[in-house]
Amino acid sequence: MSEREKISRRRYIEIIGGTIAGLAVGAALGYIYGTTISPPKPVTKPTPRSIKMGYTMGMTGPLAVPNAWCDKYRILFTEIVNEKGGLYVAEYGERLPIELVKYDDRGSTDEMAKYYERLATVDRVHVFLTSYGTFVAPVVAPIAAKYKIPYVLGSAMPLPDLKSRWTVWTTPIVFASYELIDLLKKLGISDVYLAVIETKFGLEFRRNFVEGFRYKDEVYEGLKDTGIKIVAEKLYPIGTTDFTSIILDAKAKNPDAFIQFSYPDDSYACTKQMIELDYNPKFYYTSLGLACPTFYKRFTAEELEGITIYGQTYVPSAPWRDPYIGSCRDFFNKFKERWGEEPDINDTNNDFVAISIAAQAIEKAGTLNGEAINEVLHKETFSTIYGPIKFDEYGIITKDCPAHTATVLQWQKGELQVVSPPQSKTAEIIYPKPRWPR
Amino acid sequence: MLPSSFFTIFAQLLISAFVLGMLYAWLASGLTLMYGSSRVVNFAHGDITMLGAYLTYWLFTLYNVSPLISFLLEALLFGGVAILVFIAITRPLRKRSRTGDEFEMATIIATFAMSMWCMNFAGLLWTATPRGFRYLPQVLSFSGINLEMNRLLILILSSVSFILLYAFLSKTRIGKGIIYTIQNSDAAQLVGVDVEKVALLSHIIGFVTAATAGACHSLFWTISPTIDMFYCLIAWTVIIIGGVGSLRGCLVAGLIIGILETFAVYLLSPALRITINYGALLTILYFKPRGLFRR
């Protein structure tokens, strides 16, 4: 540095002193202006641009298909609500549109946890929704509780053991097998043949069915005490496509009822081969598959007539109403109009119920405050396509609601009807099941 | 004396076993020729079956094309695909490989990559939702034995195709060339067999059998992107039991697997199906390490 460019000590002190003095004068003037000259402005909360509902889902990976279905319900719901300007939030005195904030978790719980943290802290969503599957809940429930964000689950079995006060579940706590046993007793069926898929789902069904498994405070005596005899029980691995052997065995043993605890694919294959082999039990139950349009569309109404399946309280003819979409029939028609195919009857439509409940809770709370929404969720009753729904302190549907209990559905004249339990019934059961048309 | 219902059940099971067995035999026949003559370890065989099944489904549901016509169309289409695969993948790999073992290893990796690609492509196009259609669902009944027409069609298509392939190999000059190459590649070259042409032809046969087996599959069962692995493993099990390169071996092994699967499921448990398949494989390999018909 040259001599000329050097700053003298005196000059240096002058610069610093001047700056400090300038800042002090500025601050003093600012204070005087802020406190005495102009009155303070009222602090108002800025109106958010939207109501954010956040979730992750496996857009790729093994659960991509059911997740894509679940999302169709949420998208349909959002479109219907936003068309009318959104949800009314009293706190802001206006309607706000719903914004779905979603990430691809690829079916991985690690990814899920990471993204839910992001949804809470970066995106600042107001409600958590969820992807397909029960395994999601233990990962997300603690995050929901940590950030005090209400968590409304769709297609997931309730896990009351989580004891989360920030979580509500829209699926029945009482398993379908209880209703099935009850129905078999009422029909006077004396013996059954069981075909069970070797997955957790199939085996849970089987365990509840055979042992009258006691779940929570539900007491049921189960099949063992009913005197209904199991003539045979065949477990089969996932991916089984040929049921000839099982059906021939059942045909030879000739029980009153043939019951298959199944996934969709095997449910379809078994039904098809029962028709081929002309096996006509008086009662035929198959858990999943024949409520899914992909499969039931391949049969005629005559072939489907009298087949019973696992279900919830929704069928198109059910008397329930949703405040945003209307009756169950309206739901069926609007879904079909939007997506060009019929909605699933017994599985993924839980996600429609979940987002509708979240929306109703926000409108009832009149605020986007998580604690207020959560309080409403655990206190109020919600109108849904599953009937009225109210939750207990741990988010389980209460006993007085029809949706507390799973149902038995039956195909009748090309449409599914609830035939058990009595509080959800939409039609009387056809028994014995008509023979397959030839 | 056994009750008549016993014979009815036995006959019904036997028919099911034959339908399965012939499908397996037809599926594996192309793979055995492909591996036997050109040493290509094709792990995408089941994927071609899966794509063949989807194509039949698509043609039927979108354009109402009879699966019988699809069967023939797919033979042409996948024959063409086989030529492309041969030119783009197999031939360069063969040229770059220093030994036969190195070539086999390279084909395992290449076809495995093809398999992954096919499975993801199918998932993207048709999603993982199982697809299917019902064609000829009428049931034929005779003496208490029932059979849907579509299953009968599977039996007819696979049996007739198998017989035609057998006749082609044993009666034509180029067919005999394939057999000679399988038996001894060096000796075949010495007597004037063009092994390059044989390799190409065995590729075509391999792809055509796999794709048309897929067309048969779609007639009765549902289709999903994951059926590929099942069919790939079944095809390899059949050719290992039957002996690599043997068409008769394919037929016998296919029927053994079909019969074992069907009767074991009936007599024991459906859960034991896979155990029984591989149990049979291990037992036969213990007594005949080169397979039933490999000399």
Side-chain angles (χ1 to χ4, degrees):
Chain A
M1 191 180 275
S2 68
E3 280 300 309
R4 272 190 299 173
E5 285 171 317
K6 273 186 182 169
I7 299 171
S8 67
R9 187 180 292 170
R10 186 187 175 86
R11 180 75 183 140
Y12 192 72
I13 291 166
E14 276 173 8
I15 290 168
I16 291 178
T19 310
I20 292 168
L23 284 172
V25 171
L29 285 173
Y31 177 76
I32 293 163
Y33 180 80
T35 53
T36 58
I37 299 172
S38 163
K41 284 183 180 171
V43 181
T44 52
K45 236 181 183 176
T47 307
R49 282 184 302 152
S50 61
I51 298 164
K52 289 184 180 177
M53 298 197 184
Y55 55 99
T56 72
M57 56 184 241
M59 298 178 199
T60 52
L63 290 174
V65 174
N67 272 318
W69 265 92
C70 295
D71 218 28
K72 284 180 181 179
Y73 298 103
R74 289 186 285 253
I75 293 168
L76 173 70
F77 182 86
T78 308
E79 285 173 357
I80 289 170
V81 169
N82 288 352
E83 218 169 70
K84 292 172 187 161
L87 299 174
Y88 182 76
V89 186
E91 187 184 5
Y92 305 109
E94 61 181 289
R95 286 186 177 275
L96 297 175
I98 296 174
E99 183 189 345
L100 298 176
V101 185
K102 54 187 164 186
Y103 294 103
D104 180 10
D105 60 30
R106 302 199 297 270
S108 144
T109 46
D110 291 343
E111 292 288 307
M112 209 174 277
K114 200 170 71 189
Y115 282 128
Y116 271 95
E117 288 277 350
R118 184 190 158 87
L119 285 167
T121 56
V122 180
D123 301 305
R124 296 185 174 278
V125 300
H126 304 106
V127 175
F128 278 163
L129 299 174
T130 194
S131 79
Y132 183 89
T134 308
F135 71 104
V136 179
V139 179
V140 184
I143 301 172
K146 184 165 99 182
Y147 294 104
K148 297 189 185 320
I149 297 173
Y151 179 30
V152 188
L153 284 112
S155 305
M157 301 300 283
L159 299 174
D161 297 344
L162 277 182
K163 295 196 185 304
S164 169
R165 291 175 195 276
W166 287 86
T167 304
V168 296
W169 316 73
T170 55
T171 41
I173 183 77
V174 180
F175 230 65
S177 19
Y178 303 121
E179 280 314 313
L180 185 58
I181 296 168
D182 204 28
L183 187 65
L184 295 179
K185 278 199 297 185
K186 281 179 192 157
L187 295 173
I189 281 167
S190 58
D191 45 5
V192 299
Y193 188 103
L194 291 183
V196 183
I197 189 163
E198 271 186 313
T199 63
K200 190 174 183 298
F201 175 81
L203 296 174
E204 280 281 298
F205 251 104
R206 181 211 160 271
R207 186 170 64 147
N208 294 340
F209 188 83
V210 176
E211 294 165 18
F213 179 56
R214 293 161 72 108
Y215 200 68
K216 214 181 166 214
D217 58 344
E218 292 299 323
V219 181
Y220 207 97
E221 63 267 43
L223 190 69
K224 268 186 181 165
D225 304 326
T226 64
I228 298 173
K229 192 181 156 204
I230 298 174
V231 294
E233 188 188 354
K234 296 267 174 165
L235 299 180
Y236 60 87
I238 190 163
T240 300
T241 50
D242 198 329
F243 285 86
T244 311
S245 305
I246 292 177
I247 294 166
L248 288 175
D249 188 39
K251 202 173 176 181
K253 293 188 166 77
N254 195 28
D256 286 342
F258 180 83
I259 290 167
Q260 186 196 16
F261 295 133
S262 60
Y263 271 3
D265 211 9
D266 40 310
S267 175
Y268 166 74
C270 188
T271 307
K272 193 168 171 288
Q273 281 163 279
M274 281 172 79
I275 297 171
E276 180 191 23
L277 299 169
D278 199 29
Y279 172 44
N280 287 287
K282 285 191 232 167
F283 183 90
Y284 170 37
Y285 178 92
T286 178
S287 331
L288 298 180
L290 296 186
C292 180
T294 313
F295 295 101
Y296 68 66
K297 286 280 176 196
R298 297 181 205 163
F299 296 103
T300 63
E302 291 75 31
E303 286 172 333
L304 291 170
E305 188 73 1
I307 298 175
T308 47
I309 60 171
Y310 162 83
Q312 299 188 53
T313 45
Y314 160 75
V315 286
S317 61
W320 323 119
R321 282 191 76 81
D322 177 277
Y324 304 101
I325 206 162
S327 67
C328 289
R329 182 73 64 191
D330 292 334
F331 166 73
F332 181 88
N333 292 336
K334 283 179 186 168
F335 185 94
K336 199 174 167 186
E337 192 184 307
R338 172 64 179 83
W339 299 109
E341 52 193 337
E342 294 171 7
D344 193 357
I345 298 283
N346 63 4
D347 199 5
T348 51
N349 58 36
N350 281 91
D351 288 274
F352 187 87
V353 175
I355 192 169
S356 174
I357 287 174
Q360 289 178 55
I362 288 169
E363 287 202 306
K364 284 181 190 213
T367 172
L368 295 179
N369 176 281
E371 284 187 59
I373 298 168
N374 195 47
E375 200 185 324
V376 168
L377 272 174
H378 288 82
K379 210 165 67 181
E380 298 284 333
T381 303
F382 304 95
S383 300
T384 73
I385 55 165
Y386 288 171
I389 285 184
K390 195 173 186 315
F391 299 103
D392 68 12
E393 60 177 320
Y394 295 125
I396 306 296
I397 298 174
T398 54
K399 273 185 185 172
D400 51 327
C401 301
H404 177 76
T405 309
T407 66
V408 178
L409 308 178
Q410 187 178 44
W411 279 102
Q412 296 183 4
K413 295 191 175 89
E415 199 165 89
L416 277 167
Q417 302 289 354
V418 182
V419 291
S420 182
Q423 70 266 26
S424 308
K425 203 150 84 171
T426 58
E428 289 301 324
I429 189 165
I430 298 171
Y431 180 79
K433 179 191 149 326
R435 294 182 70 82
W436 304 114
R438 306 303 275 181
Chain B
M1 192 177 153
L2 289 164
S4 63
S5 64
F6 171 83
F7 293 106
T8 313
I9 291 171
F10 181 79
Q12 186 77 62
L13 288 171
L14 204 60
I15 287 173
S16 290
F18 264 85
V19 173
L20 269 185
M22 277 315 299
L23 179 64
Y24 292 164
W26 175 239
L27 169 82
S29 60
L31 187 64
T32 202
L33 296 178
M34 199 166 163
Y35 179 64
S37 64
S38 59
R39 294 189 73 174
V40 172
V41 185
N42 186 7
F43 269 104
H45 198 70
D47 295 271
I48 301 156
T49 306
M50 178 258 294
L51 291 177
Y54 270 123
L55 198 60
T56 314
Y57 158 77
W58 223 1
L59 289 170
F60 183 78
T61 50
L62 295 181
Y63 306 106
N64 211 21
V65 175
S66 157
L68 279 171
I69 295 170
S70 303
F71 188 90
L72 298 173
L73 282 178
E74 282 171 28
L76 291 173
L77 177 72
F78 282 90
V81 173
I83 296 171
L84 289 178
V85 169
F86 182 78
I87 294 168
I89 299 172
T90 316
R91 201 160 56 181
L93 283 179
R94 184 192 289 276
K95 279 181 185 163
R96 283 173 203 163
S97 304
R98 282 166 296 182
T99 63
D101 289 345
E102 198 179 299
F103 174 65
E104 266 187 32
M105 207 57 190
T107 59
I108 289 175
I109 296 164
T111 57
F112 191 71
M114 256 173 67
S115 165
M116 288 291 114
W117 188 88
C118 289
M119 194 170 71
N120 284 293
F121 173 73
L124 196 71
L125 213 56
W126 293 285
T127 74
T129 306
R131 308 277 168 178
F133 59 91
R134 288 186 82 189
Y135 178 70
L136 294 179
Q138 298 84 351
V139 179
L140 295 172
S141 292
F142 45 96
S143 310
I145 300 159
N146 299 304
L147 189 67
E148 262 191 26
M149 293 265 283
N150 47 44
R151 277 226 264 194
L152 183 65
L153 191 61
I154 296 171
L155 189 62
I156 292 168
L157 283 175
S158 49
S159 306
V160 170
S161 309
F162 194 90
I163 291 165
L164 288 175
L165 180 63
Y166 193 82
F168 170 75
L169 290 178
S170 51
K171 303 286 178 201
T172 63
R173 196 181 157 80
I174 183 79
K176 282 177 184 164
I178 295 178
I179 301 288
Y180 298 155
T181 312
I182 291 170
Q183 285 168 354
N184 190 328
S185 176
D186 295 335
Q189 281 188 72
L190 282 175
V191 295
V193 174
D194 184 344
V195 288
E196 186 80 357
K197 262 189 193 163
V198 163
L200 174 63
L201 189 63
S202 65
H203 266 67
I204 295 172
I205 297 172
F207 274 58
V208 168
T209 56
T212 49
C216 290
H217 167 95
S218 72
L219 288 172
F220 190 73
W221 295 281
T222 51
I223 317 153
S224 69
T226 50
I227 61 169
D228 61 337
M229 196 43 78
F230 171 75
Y231 276 116
C232 184
L233 292 177
I234 278 288
W236 279 106
T237 308
V238 167
I239 69 167
I240 292 168
I241 290 178
V244 173
S246 168
L247 221 51
R248 268 191 300 168
C250 270
L251 179 66
V252 173
L255 290 174
I256 288 175
I257 295 289
I259 289 169
L260 276 178
E261 263 190 22
T262 312
F263 280 86
V265 166
Y266 180 76
L267 296 168
L268 302 168
S269 163
L272 293 174
R273 196 178 100 179
I274 294 167
T275 316
I276 286 157
N277 279 352
Y278 295 110
L281 175 75
L282 290 173
T283 312
I284 289 169
L285 284 185
Y286 182 78
F287 292 106
K288 302 273 277 180
R290 288 164 67 83
L292 290 173
F293 288 87
R294 174 91 172 174
R295 276 167 284 173

